[in-house]
Amino acid sequence: MVLFLAKRTVGLLATLLAVSIVVFLVMNVLPGDPVLVILGIDSTPDAQAALREQLGLNAPLLERYVSWIAGVLRGDFGTSHSFGVPVAGLIAERLPLTLSLALSATLLTVVLALALGVFAASNHRKAGDWGVMTLSQLGIAVPAFWLSMLLVLLFAVRLRWLPPGGFPGWSDPAAALRALVLPTVALALVQAAVLARVTRSSMLEVLRLDFTRTALATGLSRGRVLWRHVLPNALVPVVTIVGMQFANVVTGTIVIENVFYLPGLGRLIFQAISNRDLMTVQALVLLFAAIVVTANFVVDILYVLIDPRLRGRLA
Amino acid sequence: MTRSTAIAGSMLGALLLTAFPAWSKTDIVIGMQQEPTSLDPTSDATASIDGMLAHNVFEALTSVTEQGEVVPELAKGWTLSDDGLTYTFDLQQGVTFHDGTAFDAADVKFSFDRAMGADSVNPSKGIFEPIAAVTVIDPATLELKLSRPDAFLLFNLAQGDASIVAPESVELAKTTPVGTGPFRFDSWTRGDRLTLAKYPSHRDAATVQMEKITFQFIADPASASAALLSETLDAYPGFPAPEMMAQFEADPRFAVEIGSTEGEVIMAMNNARAPFDDIRVRRAISHTLDRKAIIDGAMYGQATPIGSFYPPHGKAYVDLTGMYPHDVARAKELLKEAGVAEGTVMTLRVPPFPYATRSAEIIQAQLAEAGLDVKVENVEWGFWLEEIYKKLNYDMTIIAHTSPNDMSNFARGKSYFYGYENPEFTALWDRIKTEADPEKRDALLKQGQEFLATEAVHGFLFQLPKLGVVRKELSGFWKSSPVLFQPLAQVKWDG
C-alpha cells in the first residue's frame, strides 16, 4: 500500500511538471501581447516599452520559466501582470467558492444518480425504468449553459425564489447558500443523468449474479438485498465515473460561473487568458490539473475501500 | 454666497435628506459588461475603469458634458495666452482627497509629470505630448507651457488618463483608488462587484443623492437580461445585445435609451497590401457594402450609418453616406479596371465582438455579389492585437474605434495597422490639431471627413450605439457617450 501511494505521488508530481511546461510554452507561443491588452491600441510605443520592462517580459523564455518554477516550489506563484497583486491571493479569495460549487454539485450528482439508478434497476422494464431512462437521455442532451438559463428564467425571473446570479459572500451563509442552489443544480443535473445510467446498468449486471438470487432465496427483503448486497458490488464502475465527473464539474464551473456571474476560479481563468496574464493562467492550470489528478488518486483509494478484493492486487 | 450661508444651505440640505429618508432610495446597482483587472485609469486602458471611476472617484482639471462640451472641474477657469502656448489654470480651493490630504497645484504637477515621464505607462501618453512644462505658480494656480498649440488639450485633460492623483496614494491606485470626486472607492470583490460610497466632504455633496453605488459585473447578455428582469439590477447603461432591446421596450418598468458613442465601426482594409493599395479596389468595395442591410442584420437596426470617420453627433459632422451608393455593377467595373479577377480570395479577420462577427457574415455575402471570395476568420482579441494590429497581417478586419478625436489615426503613418499614409492628410491633421478657433477647426474637420471618404481608405460602416436600459424612476444617466466615462453625481431616483 505504501509503495502504491509513493508511486502515485511521483506520478502526480511528474504530471504537474509536464503540465507546467506545456502551459508555459502554449501561453508564450499563443499570439498576443499582455502589454497591448493592458494599454490598449492608442498607447504610444515608449509607454508600451516601459510596461514591458516593468513586467519583466524582456527576459529570455528559459530564464522566465526557471524563475517562475523556482518560485512555485517555494510556494510563491508570482504577481499577476494585469491585477498587479500576488496570484496566490487572487486564487485564495476565489478557491472556496469554486470548491464549494464543485463539491456540492458532485454530492448532488451522486445522491440523485444513486436514487434514480437503483430505482430504475429495481423496476427494470417497467414504467419507472423507462421514465428514468427517458429523463436521463434528455439530461445528457441538454447543454449546461442552456439549462442554466431555463432555471434562471423560471426560478429567478418568474418565481423570484432564488437570485439570478452573483455571490453575496460567506458573511451571510443563508444568502450564500441560496446563491449556490441554481448553479449547483445546473452543474449536477447533466452529470447525474450520465451517472444514473451507469448505476442502473451496473446494478442490472449484479442483479443477474448468483449471490443475489441466493440472498433473495434466504428470505431477505428486496430493498435490503438491493441496498446492502447489490449496490456495494455495483459501485466500482460508478466510482470510476464519479472521479471523471468531478474533473468535468471542476472545468464545468468555467461556463457556469460566467452564466451566473460568480466570482470563482472559472471566471478568473477566463479573464486571465483573455488578458494574457501568464502568471495567473499558469498557476490556475496547475491548480486545475492538481485537482483532477488528486481526484483520480482519491478514486483509486476508494476502489480499495469499496472492494477489499483489490487490496491483494496492489501489494 | 458667503461661506456661512453655503454651510447653512448644505446643512439644511442634509437635514432634509435625513428628515425624509422615505422619499427616495439612495442606492443603486448598475450592471457592467467588462470587469477591469486594475482600477488605475492612468495605467490601464480598460474602458470600464473610466466608466466607473473617472469623474466619480477621480476628478480632472476639466470635464466633458453629454454634448461633448468642455466644462471646468478641478480647474475653476483658465486663460490661454495669445500665442496659444500658455494655459494658466485657476484651481478649486479647499478640495480634499478621500484620504483627507489636501489638493493643490502640486498634485496636478505630480499627476502630469508622472504621465509624461520616461517610465510612464499611461495608455494615452500622447495626450501630454504637446506639454513642454508644468509649473506651480501658487497652490491655486498652475501653468502649462505647450510646445505647439493644441486644439484638443482641454478636452483631453478631462479623460480618465489625465485624472488627478496624489503622491500619497497613487502607489495603491490599482487596488484602492483615491481621488477627489463626489464618490469614494468603497470595496471591490474581484469577479463580482465594485462599490462606491458618497464622499460627504465633496464641494457638491449637497446635490448628490446616491449614498451607495454598486457595479455588478455581468458579461453574458442573457444573464444581464435576467438580472434586470428579476430586479437585482437597476440599470445597465451599456447593454451589449441590441436583439434584446425589444423585451425591455415592452416592459413598463424600464426606459430604453438608444444614444450614440464615439465608436466608429469600420471594415478596415490593409492599405499597405495589394490589392487594397489601389483606390479603385477600395472604392469598389465601398460600392458593394450595403450599410442598411449590415445595420439591420448585425445591429437590429439600432445604429446610424457613417460615410467617413467622424461621429454623427459631432458638431463638424458631414453626411457622406451617399458618396458610394450600393451599386454592384459599378463595383464590378472598378474591380475589372483594377485587374482584380472574379473569385479573388480575401480574408476578413474578425475580433470576438458581436458587432464585428455579425457584420462579417453579411459583408461576406455582399462582397460575394461583386465576385469576391471572402474567407471569414474569427480570431481572439489577443490574436487580433498581435497579428492585425501589430504585424499588419491581414486583408480586411472589422473594428470600432472608440476614442474621441481619433481621425488622427489616419496620420499615424504606414506602420499603423491601416497601412495608410498620405502627406496631404497628415498636413491637414497637423492644421486641425493646432487650430485654436473652433469654427475654423470644424471647417477643417469637415475637409478631413471628405478627404477620407474620397480616398475610401476603409469601408465606413456605422456608429456604435449606446444601448441603455434603466429603471423608469431613475434620471441622470447619459443617453449618449461622447467620452468613456459616465458621471453619476446627478443620478437620482425620482419621487
Side-chain angles (χ1 to χ4, degrees), chain A residues 38-126:
Chain A
I38 293 172
L39 292 184
I41 60 176
D42 292 323
S43 51
T44 60
D46 58 332
Q48 291 168 14
L51 184 61
R52 196 162 284 125
E53 188 60 43
Q54 277 183 26
L55 296 180
L57 294 174
N58 288 330
L61 212 58
L62 185 66
E63 189 185 317
R64 277 159 54 199
Y65 177 75
V66 170
S67 80
W68 172 66
I69 202 80
V72 170
L73 292 176
R74 288 193 312 269
D76 173 10
F77 285 88
T79 301
S80 154
H81 291 161
S82 51
F83 287 95
V85 297
V87 174
L90 279 179
I91 292 179
E93 64 190 27
R94 298 192 183 215
L95 186 63
L97 175 60
T98 300
L99 272 190
S100 319
L101 190 57
L103 289 175
S104 63
T106 307
L107 187 70
L108 183 63
T109 302
V110 171
V111 171
L112 271 179
L114 288 189
L116 289 175
V118 172
F119 174 77
S122 66
N123 289 288
H124 189 42
R125 296 200 177 148
K126 290 187 211 149

Side-chain angles (χ1 to χ4, degrees), chain A residues 38 41-42 46 259 267 276, chain B residues 125 191 217 223 380 389 403:
Chain A
I38 293 172
I41 60 176
D42 292 323
D46 58 332
V259 173
R267 221 166 157 209
R276 293 291 186 274
Chain B
K125 201 177 170 185
F217 306 111
S223 308
E380 186 242 4
Y389 183 76
S403 297

Side-chain angles (χ1 to χ4, degrees), chain B residues 269-272 282 392 409-422 425 451-452 455 457-458:
Chain B
M269 293 179 257
N270 189 346
N271 280 246
R282 302 199 300 265
L392 280 76
N409 289 346
F410 294 86
R412 287 174 74 161
K414 272 218 172 330
S415 62
Y416 191 63
F417 82 100
Y418 297 172
Y420 177 77
E421 186 159 32
N422 187 317
F425 184 80
F451 188 95
L452 295 174
E455 281 273 283
V457 183
H458 299 310

Side-chain angles (χ1 to χ4, degrees), chain A residues 6-47:
Chain A
K7 267 191 197 163
R8 294 306 306 240
T9 312
V10 172
L12 193 148
L13 291 177
T15 310
L16 291 183
L17 185 70
V19 167
S20 79
I21 294 172
V22 171
V23 185
F24 189 84
L25 286 178
V26 166
M27 281 305 286
N28 277 290
V29 170
L30 258 189
D33 183 344
V35 168
L36 269 182
V37 176
I38 293 172
L39 292 184
I41 60 176
D42 292 323
S43 51
T44 60
D46 58 332

Side-chain angles (χ1 to χ4, degrees), chain A residues 30-33 36-48 50-52 54 81-85 89-90 93-94 149 152-153 156-157 160 162-169 258-264 267 271 273-277, chain B residues 35-38 43-46 118-126 174-175 188-193 216-220 222-224 226-227 229-232 253 380-387 389-390 399-401 403 409 412 416-417:
Chain A
L30 258 189
D33 183 344
L36 269 182
V37 176
I38 293 172
L39 292 184
I41 60 176
D42 292 323
S43 51
T44 60
D46 58 332
Q48 291 168 14
L51 184 61
R52 196 162 284 125
Q54 277 183 26
H81 291 161
S82 51
F83 287 95
V85 297
L90 279 179
E93 64 190 27
R94 298 192 183 215
M149 289 322 303
V152 166
L153 283 178
V157 175
R160 304 273 176 95
L162 293 162
F167 190 69
N258 276 294
V259 173
F260 289 96
Y261 47 102
L262 296 169
R267 221 166 157 209
Q271 208 181 4
I273 292 175
S274 5
N275 285 326
R276 293 291 186 274
D277 189 346
Chain B
E35 178 179 13
T37 52
S38 148
S43 68
D44 189 314
T46 307
D119 56 352
S120 157
V121 295
N122 193 294
S124 297
K125 201 177 170 185
K174 282 186 173 173
T175 50
W188 180 25
T189 310
R190 286 189 193 86
D192 185 40
R193 68 187 65 208
Q216 177 114 42
F217 306 111
I218 309 178
D220 183 64
S223 308
L229 293 173
S230 64
E231 303 186 3
T232 48
R253 292 173 294 171
E380 186 242 4
W381 183 233
F383 182 96
W384 191 92
L385 286 173
E386 181 83 18
E387 290 295 318
Y389 183 76
K390 250 168 91 172
I399 190 73
H401 281 278
S403 297
N409 289 346
R412 287 174 74 161
Y416 191 63
F417 82 100

